[in-house]
Amino acid sequence: MSRPPNYEFQEWWNKQRENQHELFVDKSEKPSCLTVEIRSPTADQALEKDRARSARQISWVCLLRFQQIANSFAYLTNGFVSVLRTANRRIADADLPSRRPQSRLYRAIKAFLIVVVTLLVFELVAYFKGWHFSPPTVGSASEVVDFVELVYANWLEIRTKYLAPALQCLTNVCVVLFLVQSLDRVVLVLGCFWIEFRRLKPVVAMEYPADSENVNVEDYPMVMVQIPMCNERESVSSSSGIFPVSKCLVELNYAHASCSLGNLQFPLYGFEFLLHRLYIPSLVWAQVYQQSIASVCIQDWPRERMLVQVLDDSDDLDVQALIKAEVQKWQQRGVRILYRHRLIRTGYKAGNLKSAMGCDYVKDYEFVAIFDADFQPAPDFLKKTIPYFKGHDDLALVQTRWAFVNKDENLLTRLQNINLSFHFEVEQQVNGVFINFFGFNGTAGVWRIKALEDCGGWLERTTVEDMDIAVRAHLCGWKFIYLNDVKCLCELPESYEAYKKQQYRWHSGPMQLFRLCFMDIIRSKVSSAKKFNLIFLFFLLRKLILPFYSFTLFCVILPLSMFMPEAQLPAWLVCYVPGIMSVLNILPAPRSFPFIVPFLLFENTMSVTKFNAMISGLFKFGSSYEWIVTKKLGRSSSEADLVAMMENEAEPLVESTSLQRSSLGIRNRRA
């Protein structure tokens, strides 16, 4: 029997479905039935869920922020402590005599900084008092009993009548010099583009075969290779942690540490390890010398037609022993290599080379290749450079390009690579193609010995002996060739101190040379165009004007123009032209474009050191004659290749030596 329909429940159900879209089963009428509720999620529940999730996320974000703040605080604390230590060390070393000769300009800069800060404070006081909007005059300020207002009124009068005109005149001079120097840069870049577009290169009359078998030895001229080393050691005080060799004492107090020297390791277990007469930088330099000597000794050139001179100029017995051992190792392998050490160490590198060229056997050689201690030529270096002398009797020098193995080591090496890439690929290549003259780089080049003798040989009068002999050879009518596609591996200084000392010598030496050879250039028999190029472009514009206007414009005029609005400094001079020049400088190294802003700031910073060096060399200050060796670390990307080449060269050298001995024995028996 069917149950009668429940109309009341049907009504209630329809009503609930229309209003809330929910399904209920009434518990009161059917207590034994299961109550089922089907409900779609509401906005309130989703909001609560999002709030709970947001709370957890916020807590994690807060924890991460706190950790970042703690790390930043620790980083700032460590940086502040390191700055304090550096300042303390600098203050402790302030009374050393090695720092006194170069402190004159820096004392003037400190005084200038104090004046600028004082003016800034004074202008701030005037701004808050409203004097910028209605400037007081001397007459109106004297009526009011206000000492500060009277001083400011007098300052305005002095600034308007005396200081602003002088600053504007200096600004105009620097603007003209800046535009002339910028025009020179643009011309050099256009010349470089023309060389690349027309593919202009020096013409070689002959080429040596790649393999050395079945060759006529007489076709290879006699070549002497010189490696000058340790031209001057840097005297460092004990406060810097490096001592002279005779007084060197290394104390290692680290528990459970180990000291490794080469392949030897010394375990240290909680006690002091005293190592006497060990000069740690000597080990680094020994690695540099080994790489340089090895790269020269494996030159693909007949052994009987090449002589290697290792010119050791050190006064350190340990360094001498290391270099002697390296020379003897290659002598046993059959290489014609000599070790030379002079007792009277005068004239720095020029004196060392002059002494080596005075040997009797030098007259048997036609060319001399020069490599500094940290340079590593490729095995085919001589085969790629010597042929250019064939058929060019007026050619004195073949200069190759430097390639840096550590150019990406840090920001400093990247910025140096920008400057030197422009110097080699633009300046030297353009000058070599169009006028056959540029400054000798001191290394990675081959000289005709007759040209060296014709221009007077190496002179000891400056610290830039390479530029000196290049200028004298040019005045004698000799020509130079630059090879941009032949590269010689070398290193860049990786510390700021080493780089600053290198730049000081590079900018003080040319001014010494200009002062000494100016009259020689005037009295020489070269054309007026060559005289103009030497005096105006080579010396004045690129060696004197460049550091002068860089320092004066960006370190003196630009700060003072903020306090002297009467002196107008064009915005294009401060922003646009330096930016364009920086882009031109960075074109030879396109991978360095992300560092264009640090490069611009770094060049303005280095203008202080370059200006100081230029003034020292021009006015014959004592510090301009100091030669400080640039420290290198012996890095080389070709070190593994050198080792492999040494192993491959060892067996043929030993075999050739035994054959020579056997042939000598046969000749003696026949005799």
Side-chain angles (χ1 to χ4, degrees):
M1 182 175 179
S2 62
R3 180 180 299 180
N6 191 347
Y7 296 103
E8 294 181 0
F9 176 78
Q10 187 69 30
E11 263 183 9
W12 175 83
W13 174 264
N14 293 334
K15 185 178 180 180
Q16 293 296 329
R17 189 173 62 176
E18 290 177 0
N19 294 337
Q20 299 182 1
H21 302 283
E22 294 181 353
L23 174 63
F24 289 102
V25 177
D26 194 0
K27 290 184 179 180
S28 60
E29 296 185 0
K30 287 295 204 179
S32 61
C33 295
L34 178 65
T35 303
V36 179
E37 179 180 357
I38 302 175
R39 180 178 299 177
S40 61
T42 60
D44 295 337
Q45 291 178 343
L47 184 59
E48 292 179 0
K49 194 172 183 180
D50 291 340
R51 286 177 179 175
R53 186 182 302 170
S54 300
R56 288 195 299 269
Q57 291 177 351
I58 290 174
S59 62
W60 283 108
V61 169
C62 292
L63 289 176
L64 290 175
R65 294 298 182 188
F66 285 139
Q67 184 180 5
Q68 292 177 356
I69 292 173
N71 293 336
S72 302
F73 182 75
Y75 176 77
L76 293 176
T77 304
N78 293 334
F80 182 71
V81 171
S82 63
V83 168
L84 289 180
R85 290 178 179 175
T86 303
N88 188 19
R89 185 172 66 252
R90 296 288 179 87
I91 294 173
D93 296 343
D95 297 331
L96 294 177
S98 61
R99 297 185 181 270
R100 288 177 182 173
Q102 59 179 356
S103 61
R104 299 174 183 175
L105 179 64
Y106 293 99
R107 284 201 299 266
I109 292 176
K110 291 178 181 178
F112 178 74
L113 179 62
I114 294 174
V115 171
V116 169
V117 173
T118 304
L119 291 177
L120 179 61
V121 174
F122 203 49
E123 292 292 339
L124 288 176
V125 173
Y127 175 78
F128 286 113
K129 286 185 173 292
W131 295 337
H132 280 190
F133 305 101
S134 58
T137 59
V138 178
S140 62
S142 59
E143 298 176 357
V144 181
V145 186
D146 191 346
F147 177 74
V148 178
E149 186 175 359
L150 181 61
V151 172
Y152 186 71
N154 284 278
W155 157 247
L156 290 179
E157 185 176 1
I158 295 173
R159 187 181 75 182
T160 305
K161 292 183 178 180
Y162 305 104
L163 298 181
L167 184 62
Q168 186 64 51
C169 181
L170 184 61
T171 302
N172 296 335
V173 171
C174 288
V175 168
V176 174
L177 296 179
F178 189 24
L179 293 179
V180 172
Q181 197 271 338
S182 302
L183 179 62
D184 176 63
R185 289 294 177 98
V186 172
V187 171
L188 288 175
V189 171
L190 292 178
C192 184
F193 278 126
W194 181 256
I195 292 173
E196 295 295 331
F197 177 73
R198 298 297 302 270
R199 300 186 182 276
L200 302 177
K201 291 184 179 180
V203 180
V204 60
M206 60 167 294
E207 291 184 1
Y208 290 107
D211 55 340
S212 300
E213 298 179 358
N214 300 325
V215 296
N216 187 8
V217 179
E218 298 300 328
D219 294 338
Y220 293 80
M222 299 290 286
V223 179
M224 185 170 60
V225 183
Q226 294 179 337
I227 309 177
M229 299 180 175
C230 302
N231 301 298
E232 181 61 24
R233 296 299 299 272
E234 179 182 359
S235 59
V236 186
S237 64
S238 60
S239 62
S240 63
I242 301 176
F243 299 82
V245 179
S246 59
K247 299 179 181 179
C248 180
L249 179 63
V250 181
E251 296 185 1
L252 302 176
N253 300 319
Y254 300 101
H256 305 286
S258 64
C259 174
S260 61
L261 302 176
N263 296 326
L264 301 178
Q265 291 188 354
F266 305 95
L268 310 175
Y269 296 100
F271 58 88
E272 291 187 356
F273 180 80
L274 304 182
L275 185 61
H276 295 270
R277 294 189 58 78
L278 175 63
Y279 190 57
I280 300 300
S282 302
L283 302 177
V284 178
W285 277 104
Q287 183 182 3
V288 176
Y289 299 155
Q290 289 174 359
Q291 296 172 2
S292 179
I293 294 174
S295 60
V296 169
C297 291
I298 62 175
Q299 284 295 306
D300 189 8
W301 200 259
R303 300 298 177 186
E304 60 272 17
R305 312 293 289 180
M306 183 181 73
L307 175 67
V308 181
Q309 280 185 327
V310 179
L311 311 177
D312 179 22
D313 215 11
S314 67
D315 55 357
D316 188 336
L317 297 179
D318 295 335
V319 174
Q320 294 177 20
L322 292 172
I323 300 176
K324 283 182 180 178
E326 186 68 19
V327 171
Q328 291 174 0
K329 180 181 71 175
W330 286 101
Q331 286 177 345
Q332 294 173 0
R333 296 183 177 185
V335 179
R336 299 178 66 239
I337 181 171
L338 298 177
Y339 173 84
R340 281 185 53 84
H341 181 271
R342 56 178 184 151
L343 299 177
I344 303 176
R345 301 171 65 250
T346 58
Y348 302 123
K349 183 179 178 180
N352 197 2
L353 294 173
K354 181 180 180 181
S355 174
M357 295 298 294
C359 299
D360 295 334
Y361 53 80
V362 174
K363 63 180 182 293
D364 299 330
Y365 294 85
E366 187 176 358
F367 305 104
V368 55
I370 302 174
F371 301 100
D372 283 349
D374 60 318
F375 278 73
Q376 302 166 30
D380 58 349
F381 180 87
L382 294 178
K383 283 189 173 182
K384 288 185 176 180
T385 54
I386 297 297
Y388 288 92
F389 290 97
K390 186 73 173 179
H392 299 87
D393 296 335
D394 58 347
L395 182 61
L397 169 66
V398 174
Q399 175 69 59
T400 62
R401 180 173 178 171
W402 299 359
F404 309 109
V405 298
N406 61 337
K407 61 181 179 181
D408 297 327
E409 185 66 25
N410 52 39
L411 180 60
L412 178 61
T413 56
R414 292 177 186 272
L415 299 179
Q416 293 179 66
N417 181 54
I418 295 174
N419 264 334
L420 292 175
S421 295
F422 184 87
H423 171 70
F424 288 118
E425 189 161 347
V426 178
E427 289 184 359
Q428 291 208 319
Q429 185 174 207
V430 171
N431 291 328
V433 170
F434 292 105
I435 61 177
N436 296 117
F437 169 72
F438 47 83
F440 175 46
N441 297 326
T443 178
V446 182
W447 277 91
R448 189 188 297 269
I449 295 181
K450 182 181 178 181
L452 293 177
E453 296 173 349
D454 185 31
C455 63
W458 299 100
L459 299 182
E460 308 170 6
R461 56 183 182 175
T462 66
T463 57
V464 283
E465 73 295 328
D466 45 8
M467 186 181 296
D468 186 5
I469 199 167
V471 171
R472 288 185 282 114
H474 182 61
L475 295 178
C476 293
W478 293 94
K479 295 182 179 180
F480 303 162
I481 282 181
Y482 175 75
L483 303 179
N484 191 54
D485 54 348
V486 180
K487 299 180 181 180
C488 188
L489 295 179
C490 63
E491 288 186 49
L492 290 168
E494 298 181 7
S495 66
Y496 177 72
E497 289 296 327
Y499 175 69
K500 187 171 69 173
K501 293 170 183 176
Q502 180 194 69
Q503 292 299 307
Y504 188 90
R505 179 170 61 87
W506 284 5
H507 286 80
S508 64
M511 290 298 98
Q512 303 172 21
L513 180 61
F514 177 68
R515 181 169 35 84
L516 294 173
C517 70
F518 176 74
M519 295 307 301
D520 295 336
I521 297 174
I522 297 297
R523 293 192 294 262
S524 64
K525 298 180 180 180
V526 297
S527 62
S528 300
K530 291 184 177 180
K531 292 180 181 179
F532 175 81
N533 174 68
L534 273 176
I535 295 176
F536 181 73
L537 294 179
F538 186 75
F539 280 111
L540 290 181
L541 185 60
R542 298 167 187 164
K543 303 298 188 298
L544 188 146
I545 292 178
L546 179 59
F548 170 76
Y549 88 78
S550 297
F551 172 77
T552 307
L553 184 60
F554 295 103
C555 299
V556 177
I557 296 177
L558 188 59
L560 286 180
S561 63
M562 296 188 299
F563 307 105
M564 300 181 187
E566 294 84 4
Q568 298 295 326
L569 191 61
W572 56 266
L573 181 69
V574 181
C575 301
Y576 302 116
V577 177
I580 295 174
M581 291 301 104
S582 299
V583 171
L584 294 181
N585 283 338
I586 216 167
L587 283 179
R591 292 179 56 190
S592 302
F593 264 100
F595 306 97
I596 186 170
V597 175
F599 171 73
L600 183 59
L601 299 176
F602 181 71
E603 284 300 300
N604 292 337
T605 304
M606 286 303 300
S607 63
V608 179
T609 299
K610 296 177 181 179
F611 179 79
N612 185 22
M614 184 266 294
I615 294 297
S616 300
L618 189 62
F619 295 101
K620 203 176 179 179
F621 291 160
S623 58
S624 62
Y625 289 90
E626 293 180 355
W627 181 298
I628 299 178
V629 173
T630 306
K631 296 179 182 179
K632 304 295 176 62
L633 301 178
R635 300 177 184 270
S636 174
S637 59
S638 63
E639 185 174 356
D641 299 335
L642 287 175
V643 173
M645 291 177 184
M646 290 163 58
E647 294 176 353
N648 295 332
E649 290 283 338
E651 296 181 0
L653 288 173
V654 173
E655 292 177 359
S656 62
T657 305
S658 61
L659 290 175
Q660 291 175 359
R661 290 178 180 175
S662 61
S663 62
L664 287 175
I666 294 173
R667 291 178 183 176
N668 293 333
R669 290 174 185 175
R670 291 178 179 177

